[in-house]
Amino acid sequence: MIKHVALVILVLVGCSQTPSPQGPATRVEQERAVIPARDEAMQRWQAIIADEFRVPAGTTAAALVPELVAYLGSPDPARRDGIGYEVLATWIDKRVLADAEVAALAQQLITGTRDANVLRRSFSLLVLSVVVRRDAATPALTDDLRRAILAAAHTHAQRETDLRGHVGAQGWIHAAAHAADLLAQLAKLTLFGETERATMLDAVAGFTSRRHGHILAYGEDGRLAAAVLAAVKRGVAKPALEAWLQKVVAPLKERNTPVFDAPKFAAQRNARNLMFTLFVQVSLTAEPTAGERELLETLRALLAG
C-alpha cells in the first residue's frame, strides 16, 4: 500500500535546492521589530533573578505572574526567554507557586495559545510543558484541566501557520518545538490512555504532513520524535500507530508535478526528517518497550517499501 515511499524518500535526500525554512519574505519586517530598551521593570526582574529568584518583600509570586505572562509575548528575548520563561519555570519547578496558583496560570496559558501574537502562543506552550512536568511528578491539576491542555496543544498543531525557528534579533519562535515539548510531558500523565496518546500523535502529524509551507529545519524533528516516543513507550494501539504513520508519509506518496509545489515539498521534507529521526532514536534505545519495538518494526517495513 505504501510502495515507492522509500524511493521518494531517497530522492528527497538528494535534493540540493531546498527552499529557505524561514517562510515568506513578507515576514522580514516582523523579524526587524524594535527591541525595547532596558527599563526599570527589566532591571527589577534581573535583580530578582540575581537573588536566586526570591520573591521581593511586600509582594507575592502570584501577584507578579501577570507581568511575567505579558513578557511571554515580548519581541525581546531577554524579557521573553530570560525573564518571562525562566522565572515562571523556576517558580513552577521549585513550588514557589502553590498548586492552585499553577492551575490558574495554566488557564491563562491555554488562552495564550490562541493569542494573535505568535510569540505569546509559542511560549505559552513552553511554560505549559513545565506545568505538566510538575503535575506528572506530583499530580495536582484537575482531569478537566489536563484534558484542556491536551486539546489546546492539538488545536495549535492543526492551526499554527507561523512555524519559523530563529528569526534574528527576536530570537526563537519555535512554536512546533515548544508544542512537541508539551506533548512529550502530556504523554507521561497517568490519566491519559491509548486514545489520548493517539491524539498526541495526531498533533505531531499536524506539524509534519499538514500543508503549512514551512520546512522544520531547526531541530524540530528531534523534539517531535521525542514526543512520539514518549507516547509509544506508554502504549499506542497497533492500528492507531499504523494509521498515524500512513498519515505522516502521505505527502511522500504523492506524485511530483511539473509545477513546483512548495507546501507539498515542505510536507515531504518534514515527513522524511521525522521518519529518519524516529528510526535512529528508537534503534538506539537500549531497552525498548513493546511499543517501541513495534514502532521500529513498522518503520523498517515502511522504509523497505
Side-chain angles (χ1 to χ4, degrees), residues 13-236:
V13 172
C15 291
S16 59
Q17 294 184 343
T18 303
S20 168
Q22 291 295 334
T26 54
R27 299 194 191 277
V28 171
E29 289 186 6
Q30 297 177 29
E31 296 172 10
R32 293 176 179 169
V34 176
I35 303 300
R38 194 163 177 262
D39 57 15
E40 277 188 27
M42 188 174 185
Q43 292 172 9
R44 173 167 47 83
W45 280 110
Q46 289 173 334
I48 291 172
I49 293 170
D51 192 33
E52 299 182 340
F53 295 87
R54 291 187 181 89
V55 179
T59 188
T60 65
L64 297 174
V65 162
E67 190 175 350
L68 293 169
V69 170
Y71 272 166
L72 296 181
S74 173
D76 180 11
R79 289 174 168 84
R80 183 183 67 248
D81 303 52
I83 296 175
Y85 170 74
E86 287 294 338
V87 176
L88 285 171
T90 300
W91 284 357
I92 293 166
D93 280 338
K94 293 186 178 297
R95 302 185 177 278
V96 176
L97 291 169
D99 290 342
E101 293 165 344
V102 171
L105 170 61
Q107 294 284 8
Q108 294 179 60
L109 295 170
I110 289 171
T111 300
T113 66
R114 303 187 294 269
D115 197 89
N117 180 346
V118 65
L119 294 166
R120 176 72 57 78
R121 296 195 298 273
S122 179
F123 280 80
S124 292
L125 291 162
L126 186 61
V127 178
L128 277 170
S129 74
V130 183
V131 170
V132 175
R133 182 174 68 202
R134 166 169 157 166
D135 188 57
T138 308
L141 302 179
T142 66
D143 287 351
D144 284 347
L145 184 51
R146 293 181 183 114
R147 290 191 175 94
I149 294 171
L150 173 58
H154 184 264
T155 298
H156 171 84
Q158 305 303 324
R159 295 182 180 178
E160 184 59 67
T161 58
D162 191 344
L163 295 170
R164 291 172 294 162
H166 195 276
V167 294
Q170 289 190 59
W172 291 96
I173 294 181
H174 239 190
H178 293 168
D181 294 348
L182 174 55
L183 291 168
Q185 295 301 325
L186 285 165
K188 299 176 183 178
L189 297 182
T190 56
L191 164 71
F192 294 140
E194 289 188 354
T195 299
E196 289 82 9
R197 289 191 285 270
T199 297
M200 297 170 200
L201 294 186
D202 190 60
V204 172
F207 289 119
T208 54
S209 58
R210 183 165 55 90
R211 303 301 175 85
H212 48 64
H214 288 267
I215 296 175
L216 302 175
Y218 288 87
E220 294 92 343
D221 57 314
R223 286 155 84 167
L224 289 167
V228 172
L229 292 179
V232 169
K233 185 187 290 289
R234 287 157 183 81
V236 177

Side-chain angles (χ1 to χ4, degrees), residues 231-303:
V232 169
K233 185 187 290 289
R234 287 157 183 81
V236 177
K238 187 174 182 178
L241 181 61
E242 291 178 342
W244 174 74
L245 280 168
Q246 289 288 347
K247 185 172 185 177
V248 170
V249 303
L252 295 169
K253 295 188 288 183
E254 296 184 30
R255 292 183 178 277
N256 288 325
T257 58
V259 179
F260 179 69
D261 185 337
K264 181 175 77 173
F265 183 82
Q268 289 174 332
R269 295 296 300 187
N270 293 332
R272 171 254 178 211
N273 290 344
L274 178 63
M275 288 196 355
F276 272 96
T277 300
L278 266 177
F279 184 80
V280 171
Q281 288 191 5
V282 76
S283 295
L284 295 175
T285 302
E287 297 180 4
T289 63
E292 289 169 322
R293 288 194 296 272
E294 193 167 87
L295 174 61
L296 182 59
E297 178 183 331
T298 307
L299 283 169
R300 275 203 184 102
L302 185 64
L303 293 172

